[in-house]
Amino acid sequence: MPRPIEALIHADALTHNIARARSAAPDARVWAVVKANAYGHGIERAYEALRGADGFALLDLDEAERVRALGWRGPILLLEGAFEARDLELCSRLNLWHVVHDEAQIDWLAMHKTHQPHRVFLKLNSGMNRLGFTVSAFRAAWARLNALPQVDEISLMTHFSDADGERGIAHQAALFAQAAQDLPGERSLCNSAATLRFAHLPEVRSDWVRPGIMTYGSAPDFPAHDIAHWGLLPTMTLRSKLIGTQVLAAGDSVGYGSTFSAEQPMRIGIVACGYADGYPRHCGTGTPVLVNGVRTRMVGRVSMDMLTVDLTPVPDADLGSEVTLWGNGPAGSMLPIDEVAQAAGTVGYELMCALARRVPVTVTA
Ligand SMILES: *Cc1c(COP(=O)(O)O)cnc(C)c1O
């Protein structure tokens, strides 16, 4: 028998979450953001469920080729644009739309030989200070692009640094409005957090929204809100089984470094899941976990192939009992990936992207 760990990708939940983005921004078209191999879900596994989106947004050229190979004829957007001049050949061949955030990319376009002019998304740096033209350079970049025969439509975009937090987006939205004033072209502003929290506001009206993390069943502003609050469903379940149990006496310790000691006699379960499966090693004692759908806690350190759980709330648990590390458990139980991420001092994004290759994955409804 194979090791009992497995991951499930919930196709209906992916479809539901995209529909949720649509309902949050009813006038916008929706990019399904599938960078990082669909946030660890697998582009090929998620594709059917995400086809209801209006386009796919990603970074890697090989991911764009994979989406075309699946038969997608609609829009594909390269969120970081070309990395070097010859990437534009693939853009021409596969009809990829691409972000332009730097003068060098305009130089490459000016030298590019193509029969088919490209659709580009001109990116404003409105304060994130990663990619994009400053407000003072933005309109000159637009004029340069507009003069190129290689360029067809120019859309305008920016990215928010604080859509999930207290600072919000007003300061960046105002800069965007100023830089984009009177320029023609479609607008794209909102990531997941902005789509859920602000897409209804006129100042962030978008022709295209770019929901990533919400598509994959994680709340962008957790712990302020959870997925239930936003009407999102988990799209990835990581589950395994108990492969052993131990009875501890008061004072007995568990695992490497003896970081947990029993205060009273207790039973623990040994789970076939460790950091080599993508479960975060930073999760310590107290991290939530479901055994037979009942909520309990991890105890001790996560090791490479195993972790240990407190069986006190689940006295009937035994070898073979089902353990839900995150996602959907038996009998309607559920453990949001965001709670596990929080226990590891990180975000849901990192956990789903880090699902290890050795974990077998099945797509279910
Ligand atoms: C990744 C990304 C998104 C999606 O962000 P989420 O927080 O996952 O919704 C949107 N826009 C750009 C430019 C991105 O790189």
Side-chain angles (χ1 to χ4, degrees):
M1 195 182 120
R3 203 165 154 259
I5 190 164
E6 64 174 338
L8 305 176
I9 303 300
H10 304 293
D12 290 352
L14 287 165
T15 303
H16 168 91
N17 293 343
I18 283 286
R20 196 47 204 94
R22 221 179 258 298
S23 68
D27 302 327
R29 274 169 289 164
V30 175
W31 290 113
V33 180
V34 295
K35 64 190 181 190
N37 200 22
Y39 289 49
H41 289 59
I43 286 177
E44 286 76 10
R45 293 185 200 109
Y47 175 70
E48 278 302 322
L50 296 178
R51 288 184 58 154
D54 300 294
F56 289 90
L58 40 75
L59 321 173
D60 282 309
L61 291 122
D62 84 295
E63 290 186 339
E65 288 189 283
R66 284 160 59 194
V67 173
R68 283 283 181 250
L70 287 162
W72 179 254
R73 290 161 175 274
I76 295 178
L77 176 63
L78 295 178
L79 287 166
E80 295 179 351
F83 300 103
E84 55 177 333
R86 63 180 188 151
D87 292 345
L88 296 176
E89 291 162 24
L90 193 78
C91 293
S92 289
R93 185 149 52 80
L94 297 182
N95 186 20
L96 308 178
W97 301 0
H98 48 101
V99 167
V100 172
H101 60 78
D102 192 278
E103 295 287 349
Q105 293 173 320
I106 307 181
D107 297 340
W108 301 336
L109 266 167
M111 293 180 309
H112 180 56
K113 292 186 176 50
T114 181
H115 299 296
Q116 194 132 40
H118 290 196
R119 166 112 179 225
V120 296
F121 277 62
L122 179 63
K123 185 163 189 178
L124 175 74
N125 171 12
S126 56
M128 178 77 147
N129 285 312
R130 260 175 7 182
L131 301 180
F133 292 91
T134 58
V135 173
S136 57
F138 189 70
R139 299 177 80 90
W142 187 90
R144 258 194 95 192
L145 285 170
N146 193 44
L148 292 180
Q150 291 89 342
V151 172
D152 165 16
E153 235 180 289
I154 307 170
S155 302
L156 311 176
M157 71 181 283
T158 195
H159 192 56
F160 296 130
S161 56
D162 292 77
D164 56 334
E166 236 168 72
R167 191 175 182 203
I169 59 165
H171 59 297
Q172 289 185 266
L175 274 183
F176 181 80
Q178 180 197 331
Q181 194 175 18
D182 304 328
L183 292 180
E186 294 190 330
R187 269 73 169 151
S188 180
L189 298 169
C190 295
N191 59 358
S192 295
T195 300
L196 289 169
R197 296 181 70 199
F198 305 116
H200 58 283
L201 301 175
E203 57 268 35
V204 288
R205 190 197 65 78
S206 278
D207 299 288
W208 291 88
V209 291
R210 309 190 300 269
I213 194 66
M214 67 175 287
T215 306
Y216 303 101
S218 165
D221 61 346
F222 186 84
H225 298 109
D226 60 12
I227 53 171
H229 171 87
W230 292 120
L232 302 169
L233 298 172
T235 59
M236 180 191 283
T237 291
L238 180 63
R239 70 181 185 191
S240 186
K241 289 184 174 166
L242 294 187
I243 56 169
T245 60
Q246 298 288 345
V247 175
L248 305 184
D252 284 352
S253 63
V254 178
Y256 289 120
S258 302
T259 59
F260 175 82
S261 297
E263 282 176 7
Q264 57 208 22
M266 65 185 284
R267 258 177 101 230
I268 59 165
I270 320 305
V271 184
C273 176
Y275 60 78
D277 299 300
Y279 192 90
R281 190 178 168 280
H282 291 295
C283 284
T285 296
T287 302
V289 56
L290 309 181
V291 176
N292 287 342
V294 176
R295 197 178 166 104
T296 179
R297 57 173 183 154
M298 256 201 38
V299 291
R301 270 193 198 153
V302 176
S303 49
M304 182 184 282
D305 311 304
M306 286 178 267
L307 56 82
T308 37
V309 296
D310 182 354
L311 295 182
T312 311
V314 226
D316 55 337
D318 216 334
L319 203 129
S321 291
E322 183 168 335
V323 179
T324 308
L325 287 317
W326 61 70
N328 293 320
S333 59
M334 198 263 282
L335 177 60
I337 195 169
D338 296 323
E339 288 193 39
V340 183
Q342 184 183 40
T346 184
V347 287
Y349 298 80
E350 189 176 3
L351 269 55
M352 54 182 82
C353 289
L355 182 73
R357 272 167 104 78
R358 79 174 187 183
V359 178
V361 183
T362 309
V363 181
T364 73

